[in-house]
Amino acid sequence: MSTLKVALIQTNIKWLDISANLAALEQQLSDCKAVDLILLPETFATGFAMARPAARVDSDGGQILIWLKAMAERHQAVIAGSVFVTHRDKIANRFYWVWPNGETKYYDKRHLFRLGNEGDHVIAGQAREVFNINGVRILPQVCYDLRFPVWARNQNDYDVLVNVANWPAARRKIWDTLLQARAIENQAYVLGVNRIGQDGFNVQHSGGTVAYDFKGDILALVEDHCAGVLYSNLDLDALAEFKQQFPAYLDADSFSLLD
């Protein structure tokens, strides 16, 4: 396909209120039509309450994965967002991707936020995933992953980088800067999806949901502190033409990712 149509959802996540959050998202999605991909923020159903049992679902994804499958079928689009899932003796911050036919894939967050003691509760993902939607290659990442450019390095294996987050307002400048940098250095579209509002720890979130093109220019964004849906069409022909005219990726250093 030459175009990927995306819908990015910026929302105020109610702390540990799964029913209210899913209902609010359904309302935001009520007019969403003819898109290929719908993106939700990190821990969209509960907030970032990793130490609270109420924020966790069983290893099969529980009611939240059931809801994701229903939304994917209803909107005939891939829908993706992260959930805390029980995993071994800890949990995983699991970024589910669900297709309209019920097919499900996931990426587990690799980089755990040391300042918030995320590693005490969450097991780090070990696999770098690239998902394909109608021929468009997409690299999924979650929040703190954004700070680590090696994990995001484009080895000419993806077209779009996605990061979903609960990124606090106090570090908002870093969110904006790193998203733009990832687009420029990797010659790829970059989609950032962040929440708004105050969480259960009184941490404020201002949003910053945005789509960047492969030159680091903003295609569209959602107004700060407002719930909303960002729609954008990603032109893959334009990306291919740009990389042909400016093939910086051919001069990239070779490397391998080690555990």
Side-chain angles (χ1 to χ4, degrees):
M1 72 185 308
S2 60
T3 302
L4 184 75
K5 299 178 181 179
V6 300
L8 281 54
I9 314 302
Q10 181 166 289
T11 191
N12 187 349
I13 302 171
K14 305 301 181 184
W15 194 247
L16 295 174
D17 194 338
I18 294 175
S19 296
N21 289 320
L22 299 187
L25 288 166
E26 284 193 42
Q27 181 61 39
Q28 285 185 266
L29 288 168
S30 60
D31 295 327
C32 181
K33 298 178 181 177
V35 298
D36 304 301
L37 174 62
I38 299 168
L39 291 169
L40 310 175
E42 179 186 24
T43 59
F44 62 89
T46 62
F48 198 78
M50 60 188 172
R52 306 288 183 88
R56 307 174 182 183
V57 300
D58 293 336
S59 57
D60 63 1
Q63 69 180 106
I64 298 175
L65 183 55
I66 291 172
W67 180 85
L68 286 170
K69 289 181 177 180
M71 292 300 101
E73 182 180 16
R74 177 183 301 179
H75 296 285
Q76 286 299 294
V78 177
I79 187 168
S82 98
V83 180
F84 286 131
V85 175
T86 56
H87 185 73
R88 301 177 190 170
D89 59 340
K90 291 187 176 183
I91 55 177
N93 191 338
R94 183 153 293 173
F95 190 3
Y96 277 120
W97 290 63
V98 181
W99 274 253
N101 65 1
E103 180 184 3
T104 302
K105 299 182 180 181
Y106 64 84
Y107 160 73
D108 286 346
K109 183 180 181 182
R110 167 77 168 184
H111 298 93
L112 305 181
F113 188 49
R114 185 178 300 272
L115 186 62
N117 299 315
E118 189 174 6
D120 293 345
H121 305 278
V122 180
I123 189 167
Q126 298 300 307
R128 179 182 182 276
E129 303 289 349
V130 175
F131 300 140
N132 192 300
I133 299 177
N134 299 330
V136 179
R137 304 166 301 168
I138 304 173
L139 181 78
Q141 297 199 332
V142 178
C143 204
Y144 193 47
D145 285 330
L146 185 61
R147 285 182 174 265
F148 302 93
V150 173
W151 194 240
R153 179 66 65 205
N154 195 346
Q155 301 182 62
N156 204 30
D157 60 348
Y158 71 85
D159 309 300
V160 182
L161 184 154
V162 165
N163 188 292
V164 298
N166 276 213
W167 199 283
R171 293 185 286 277
R172 170 63 185 280
K173 180 180 178 181
I174 295 168
W175 166 259
D176 295 337
T177 302
L178 293 182
L179 285 172
Q180 185 181 46
R182 296 295 89 85
I184 294 168
E185 69 194 8
N186 291 298
Q187 295 186 298
Y189 288 102
V190 169
L191 307 176
V193 184
N194 195 28
R195 64 161 294 176
I196 58 171
Q198 180 174 291
D199 70 13
F201 300 114
N202 298 319
V203 175
Q204 296 288 343
H205 304 80
S206 59
T209 297
V210 64
Y212 286 97
D213 74 5
F214 39 82
K215 295 183 289 185
D217 293 331
I218 293 175
L219 296 174
L221 51 78
V222 181
E223 184 178 350
D224 285 358
H225 304 289
C226 294
V229 182
L230 180 160
Y231 294 99
S232 188
N233 295 332
L234 310 185
D235 186 338
L236 277 298
D237 289 339
L239 171 60
E241 181 179 357
F242 176 74
K243 292 177 72 173
Q244 183 178 33
Q245 294 176 349
F246 192 77
Y249 68 96
L250 295 177
D251 298 316
D253 300 308
S254 61
F255 68 97
S256 61
L257 290 168
L258 302 176
D259 292 335

